Amino acid sequence: MPLSTLASSTFTEKLDAARISALSLAQATTDVKNAALSAVAEQLRANVPRIVEANDLDLANGRENGLAAGLLDRLTLNDARIEALASATLDLVGLVDPVGETVRGRSLPNGVRIEQVRVPFGVVGAIYEARPNVTIDIAALAIKSGNAVVLRGGSAAENTNRVLVDLLQTALDSVGLPREAAQTIDEFGREGATALMTARGYIDVLIPRGSAALINTVVTESTVPVIETGAGIVHIFLDSSADLEMATAIVHNSKVQRPSVCNALETLLVHEGAADRLLPGVLGALRASGVTIHGDARTLSLFPDAVEATDEDWATEYMTLDLAVRVVAGLDEAMDHIRQYSTHHTESIITNDLSNSERFLREVDSAAVMVNASTRFTDGGEFGFGAEVGISTQKLHARGPMGLPELTSTKWLVRGTGQVRS
Amino acid sequence: MPLSTLASSTFTEKLDAARISALSLAQATTDVKNAALSAVAEQLRANVPRIVEANDLDLANGRENGLAAGLLDRLTLNDARIEALASATLDLVGLVDPVGETVRGRSLPNGVRIEQVRVPFGVVGAIYEARPNVTIDIAALAIKSGNAVVLRGGSAAENTNRVLVDLLQTALDSVGLPREAAQTIDEFGREGATALMTARGYIDVLIPRGSAALINTVVTESTVPVIETGAGIVHIFLDSSADLEMATAIVHNSKVQRPSVCNALETLLVHEGAADRLLPGVLGALRASGVTIHGDARTLSLFPDAVEATDEDWATEYMTLDLAVRVVAGLDEAMDHIRQYSTHHTESIITNDLSNSERFLREVDSAAVMVNASTRFTDGGEFGFGAEVGISTQKLHARGPMGLPELTSTKWLVRGTGQVRS
């Protein structure tokens, strides 16, 4: 199993240790894994000053390197955010352990009994950027689902992550689980990330979290299985029968509540038969919240307080208070537009027409397809998963919000009494 | 969406057509898809001479190019094999259509109703070699699961595959489904295969079937999601309590019944406390069926009619009448050996010891883990799936025999009455 260009024996030793520790994690009982999570929360609460100190160092470096304000904010861990991390970790204790769940089973005609059960992946890799909270999030989810994790959190958060991983290891050790079940490879820099992406036989699944560029790099360069997360060019279609009040509330919530996340609205499509009834009110409410409207010609004629949209707008995930708006001939043109520009994350139709709502649900090919609901509902917490690994935008293994079961694989247990195949 | 080095517009047109045809396939009812399968069987039966003629051409080319006897056999389609293909296609008619199945669903506290349903992947790609039967197998499974397929069957079977794809297209057309739902890209040669592996946005999942070298190439070079199938270094461990008769029957069946397939036994491990009781009988029966035993020193001392095994033997998938045999100190050493050399396909323990059988089931990390059963049972047909796409040896999405549900993804349907996120 050649590990790419980085043939560093220390790197290989780390992955070997992860693989071996994964055997213990896979066999750990739910009680032991829950004890580990409680210990992680305790460690976080007991080491707030140490975490903040390391984080201050990263923030100072970040400012020196001219990191954007948004990135600096994501990078920041303060007392309140550390407490939120501890509390979220404790929330996992109450969730059902997916490991050991029987997915299906039957007796074959010859008496052989087969049973498909959930098992941990083994070693989960994660590559992310400047978000030290992801270190705890992913590690805690991995522990609960019986997996070891190897983390590449990026140089911008290196000092914070070093402390967090140390706390994770102390917590694991305190309940008798191997420290190597949570490791960082930040010290190997970019080469380490590349080696992680090609560590076949060591990494069972790799999850990238962060910018579209980061995710694209991981998907393109990895030879280990990847779960693609993230990018969302999210659409709402206002059908001709849409209720004005409902349309205004849902569009406003989808765009404004948290514009920087993947389930936020980016493009609004409106039925031409309802454009003059709906657009002034819907767009006026957005404008009042500071949203810039990028409209096609017909939108501009109904709402002059808009800038002209170009083709590029339809293909843009703004993640800001900007919205592309287009008037379409009807459901078919709306679905054509979605087919062309959607990243298959979330789309919603606002309508009172049954046959249109059913067609939209059936024909739109996205992780979440909605009727009369805010696109912001595509979320592990909202779906009742209690915790979220990320939102998968691929079709293999997991699609949409990923919870604990999505961090497991299965195996078949086959029990015979001497049967052979004839 | 750049399509690698092969920027041929014809190639892109084919993938575009596949993507568009996938929309129709996804919406097709079970009745229409079943009618298409019946039409495929009809076309096969009505065109036996035409298929055989094209196949003869491939066989002649194969002989000229010095293809091995085994490959020529795999390449061959005769009357009986064509009838078997037609009959297997008709068998799919009786299977449950996975599309539309509700996997789970609930009402959120705010009244929003969420439901996870099975949907087709969209476009399934397949890369395989010199096995024209796979053309019909994969296409038929894809049709039933509502997917379009793009097939790369290799130059050795090019003439046969061209005819088979033509018959598939005629069958699709006859029931009103788009012909482009089943296409070959054989005419683009190796460059076409490379382009297929990097056709992000066009191919939703790529399935390689064939040699370890082919699978490795696909896994390493693909940027589209891949399901890895195949390689099996399969182990049986004879525990100290193993019944001699049962051990002999299961080992013989696992090794001899069909040695060239992935679920055939490759390495036998024997508890040292039972080696002299079990090995002479078990290995004698194998020898009588022409199996060459590659044994470690202790095996040689008990069964002199064996050749000395080297470390390479433990890491070899023979796929022939050869078997590696090693005496181990007990269950732990057996599981250590399996951990080091297994390809995580299938392992079986023969024992009457409950705690050992439970430890083996729990701790061995393979797609199928067995007690007192032949390893040959890891098979979609045996598991009652009715048909098999292949046997996944990866942990993402599918593990072990893959049936129709494994050719689907899911999506979340979200039905609200105006809810927004607070």
Side-chain angles (χ1 to χ4, degrees):
Chain A
M1 298 160 195
L3 279 174
S4 152
T5 50
L6 190 87
S8 153
S9 68
T10 333
F11 183 83
T12 312
E13 277 163 27
K14 279 206 160 188
L15 294 203
D16 259 330
R19 204 163 45 153
I20 290 162
S21 73
L23 302 173
S24 305
L25 261 284
Q27 301 307 322
T29 62
T30 307
D31 283 346
V32 168
K33 293 185 289 189
N34 284 343
L37 293 174
S38 299
V40 169
E42 233 169 77
Q43 286 294 323
L44 288 170
R45 284 169 175 164
N47 288 277
V48 173
R50 193 177 150 208
I51 300 168
V52 169
E53 194 185 340
N55 191 243
D56 282 343
L57 198 55
D58 284 329
L59 286 169
N61 291 338
R63 276 185 219 102
E64 205 166 297
N65 296 330
L67 231 55
L71 286 176
L72 284 171
D73 178 56
R74 282 183 169 184
L75 183 54
T76 304
L77 283 189
N78 52 31
D79 291 29
R81 289 186 179 180
I82 294 167
E83 175 50 35
L85 275 177
S87 163
T89 302
L90 284 179
D91 285 346
L92 290 183
V93 170
L95 295 187
V96 172
D97 184 349
V99 175
E101 185 200 342
T102 298
V103 179
R104 49 184 169 164
R106 60 190 291 259
S107 294
L108 303 185
N110 59 8
V112 168
R113 167 105 197 131
I114 65 173
E115 190 189 357
Q116 186 180 33
V117 297
R118 285 200 186 282
V119 295
F121 272 123
V123 181
V124 172
I127 297 186
Y128 50 102
E129 279 166 337
R131 294 179 67 173
N133 62 308
V134 173
T135 303
I136 299 296
D137 274 357
I138 297 252
L141 287 160
I143 291 170
K144 180 79 186 204
S145 55
N147 291 292
V149 273
V150 178
L151 304 160
R152 152 76 183 164
S155 51
E158 198 171 346
N159 293 294
T160 314
N161 285 336
R162 193 182 306 118
V163 171
L164 294 176
V165 170
D166 186 49
L167 300 178
L168 286 166
Q169 296 189 333
T170 304
L172 287 163
D173 191 51
S174 74
V175 300
L177 288 174
R179 303 171 64 87
E180 296 77 14
Q183 294 183 84
T184 170
I185 54 155
D186 278 348
E187 70 266 34
F188 299 100
R190 276 179 191 279
E191 273 184 78
T194 305
L196 192 67
M197 291 187 246
T198 54
R200 287 177 55 73
Y202 290 93
I203 300 296
D204 293 293
V205 61
L206 184 58
I207 301 171
R209 280 186 60 176
S211 67
L214 172 105
I215 291 168
N216 193 49
T217 301
V218 172
V219 167
T220 311
E221 295 187 11
S222 289
T223 58
V224 301
V226 170
I227 299 181
E228 194 174 343
T229 64
I233 298 181
V234 166
H235 297 77
I236 288 181
F237 171 55
L238 303 181
D239 198 7
S240 59
S241 61
D243 175 78
L244 173 60
E245 200 179 329
M246 188 193 290
T248 306
I250 288 177
V251 170
H252 190 273
N253 186 253
S254 299
K255 179 72 247 181
V256 174
Q257 200 213 16
R258 207 171 162 204
S260 65
V261 294
C262 61
N263 58 19
L265 176 66
E266 303 294 8
T267 298
L268 180 67
L269 303 169
V270 189
H271 193 293
E272 60 182 6
D276 48 0
R277 179 173 65 86
L278 297 171
L279 275 189
V282 169
L283 301 186
L286 292 172
R287 197 70 203 88
S289 294
V291 175
T292 302
I293 306 298
H294 304 251
D296 69 346
R298 287 200 275 183
T299 302
L300 287 172
S301 73
L302 287 164
F303 192 77
D305 193 12
V307 298
E308 201 178 331
T310 65
D311 274 359
E312 208 182 317
D313 282 292
W314 315 126
T316 300
E317 186 182 12
Y318 298 114
M319 309 196 91
T320 52
L321 286 175
D322 291 82
L323 179 70
V325 183
R326 186 178 163 196
V327 177
V328 294
L331 179 61
D332 284 300
E333 195 178 321
M335 292 199 296
D336 283 345
H337 181 103
I338 289 169
R339 209 167 285 128
Q340 186 171 358
Y341 294 107
S342 168
T343 54
H344 311 292
H345 186 298
T346 299
E347 332 295 339
S348 187
I349 184 175
I350 315 301
T351 188
N352 191 38
D353 186 294
L354 177 62
S355 95
N356 283 357
S357 87
E358 289 302 310
R359 270 196 69 201
F360 193 85
L361 287 170
R362 210 167 49 232
E363 296 182 28
V364 172
D365 181 29
S366 297
V369 190
M370 304 183 166
V371 176
N372 296 337
S374 168
T375 61
R376 295 272 297 119
F377 284 120
T378 305
D379 174 272
E382 294 293 321
F383 275 22
F385 296 174
E388 183 183 276
V389 184
I391 295 178
S392 166
T393 49
Q394 69 177 32
K395 295 184 182 174
L396 205 67
H397 184 74
R399 199 171 187 207
M402 291 187 284
L404 288 170
E406 282 74 22
L407 276 184
T408 63
S409 180
T410 58
K411 69 179 178 187
W412 287 95
L413 306 181
V414 179
R415 292 175 165 96
T417 51
Q419 287 88 341
V420 298
R421 191 162 160 187
S422 52
Chain B
M1 297 159 193
L3 280 174
S4 154
T5 50
L6 189 87
S8 152
S9 69
T10 333
F11 183 84
T12 312
E13 277 163 26
K14 279 205 160 189
L15 294 203
D16 259 330
R19 204 164 46 153
I20 291 162
S21 73
L23 302 173
S24 305
L25 261 284
Q27 301 306 322
T29 62
T30 308
D31 283 346
V32 169
K33 294 185 289 188
N34 284 343
L37 293 173
S38 300
V40 170
E42 233 169 77
Q43 286 295 323
L44 288 170
R45 285 171 174 163
N47 289 278
V48 173
R50 192 178 150 208
I51 299 167
V52 170
E53 193 184 339
N55 191 242
D56 282 342
L57 198 56
D58 284 329
L59 286 169
N61 291 338
R63 277 185 216 101
E64 205 167 296
N65 297 330
L67 230 56
L71 286 176
L72 285 171
D73 178 55
R74 281 185 170 182
L75 184 54
T76 304
L77 283 189
N78 52 32
D79 292 28
R81 289 186 179 179
I82 295 166
E83 174 50 34
L85 276 177
S87 164
T89 302
L90 284 179
D91 285 348
L92 291 183
V93 170
L95 296 186
V96 172
D97 183 349
V99 175
E101 185 200 341
T102 297
V103 179
R104 48 185 169 162
R106 61 191 290 261
S107 293
L108 303 184
N110 58 10
V112 169
R113 168 105 198 131
I114 65 173
E115 190 188 358
Q116 188 182 32
V117 296
R118 286 200 186 281
V119 294
F121 272 123
V123 181
V124 172
I127 298 186
Y128 50 102
E129 281 166 337
R131 295 179 66 172
N133 62 307
V134 173
T135 303
I136 299 296
D137 274 357
I138 297 253
L141 288 159
I143 290 169
K144 180 79 185 202
S145 55
N147 292 290
V149 273
V150 178
L151 304 160
R152 151 75 183 166
S155 51
E158 198 171 344
N159 293 294
T160 315
N161 285 336
R162 193 182 306 118
V163 171
L164 294 176
V165 169
D166 186 49
L167 299 180
L168 285 166
Q169 296 189 333
T170 304
L172 287 163
D173 191 51
S174 74
V175 300
L177 288 173
R179 304 170 63 87
E180 296 77 14
Q183 295 182 84
T184 170
I185 54 154
D186 278 349
E187 71 266 32
F188 299 100
R190 277 179 190 279
E191 273 184 78
T194 305
L196 192 67
M197 292 187 247
T198 53
R200 287 177 56 73
Y202 290 94
I203 299 296
D204 294 293
V205 61
L206 184 58
I207 300 172
R209 280 187 61 176
S211 66
L214 172 104
I215 292 168
N216 194 50
T217 300
V218 172
V219 166
T220 311
E221 296 187 11
S222 289
T223 58
V224 300
V226 170
I227 299 182
E228 194 174 344
T229 63
I233 298 182
V234 167
H235 297 77
I236 288 181
F237 170 53
L238 303 181
D239 197 9
S240 59
S241 61
D243 176 76
L244 173 60
E245 202 179 325
M246 189 192 289
T248 306
I250 287 177
V251 170
H252 189 274
N253 186 255
S254 299
K255 179 72 246 181
V256 174
Q257 200 213 16
R258 206 171 164 203
S260 66
V261 294
C262 61
N263 58 19
L265 176 66
E266 304 294 8
T267 298
L268 180 67
L269 303 169
V270 189
H271 193 294
E272 61 181 6
D276 47 1
R277 179 173 65 84
L278 296 171
L279 274 190
V282 169
L283 300 187
L286 292 171
R287 197 70 201 90
S289 293
V291 176
T292 302
I293 307 297
H294 304 250
D296 70 344
R298 287 199 275 185
T299 301
L300 288 173
S301 73
L302 289 163
F303 193 76
D305 193 11
V307 298
E308 201 178 332
T310 64
D311 274 359
E312 208 183 316
D313 282 291
W314 315 126
T316 299
E317 186 182 13
Y318 298 115
M319 310 197 91
T320 52
L321 286 174
D322 290 81
L323 180 69
V325 183
R326 186 179 162 192
V327 177
V328 294
L331 179 61
D332 284 301
E333 196 177 320
M335 292 199 297
D336 282 346
H337 181 103
I338 288 169
R339 209 166 287 130
Q340 187 170 358
Y341 294 107
S342 169
T343 53
H344 311 291
H345 186 297
T346 299
E347 333 293 339
S348 187
I349 184 175
I350 315 301
T351 189
N352 191 39
D353 186 293
L354 178 61
S355 96
N356 283 358
S357 86
E358 288 303 310
R359 269 196 68 201
F360 193 85
L361 287 171
R362 210 168 48 231
E363 296 183 27
V364 172
D365 181 29
S366 297
V369 190
M370 303 183 166
V371 176
N372 297 336
S374 168
T375 60
R376 295 272 296 117
F377 283 120
T378 305
D379 175 89
E382 294 293 322
F383 275 22
F385 296 174
E388 184 183 276
V389 185
I391 296 178
S392 166
T393 50
Q394 71 177 32
K395 294 184 182 174
L396 205 67
H397 184 74
R399 199 171 186 207
M402 291 188 282
L404 287 170
E406 282 75 21
L407 275 184
T408 64
S409 180
T410 58
K411 70 179 178 188
W412 287 94
L413 305 182
V414 178
R415 290 176 166 96
T417 50
Q419 287 88 344
V420 298
R421 191 163 160 186
S422 51

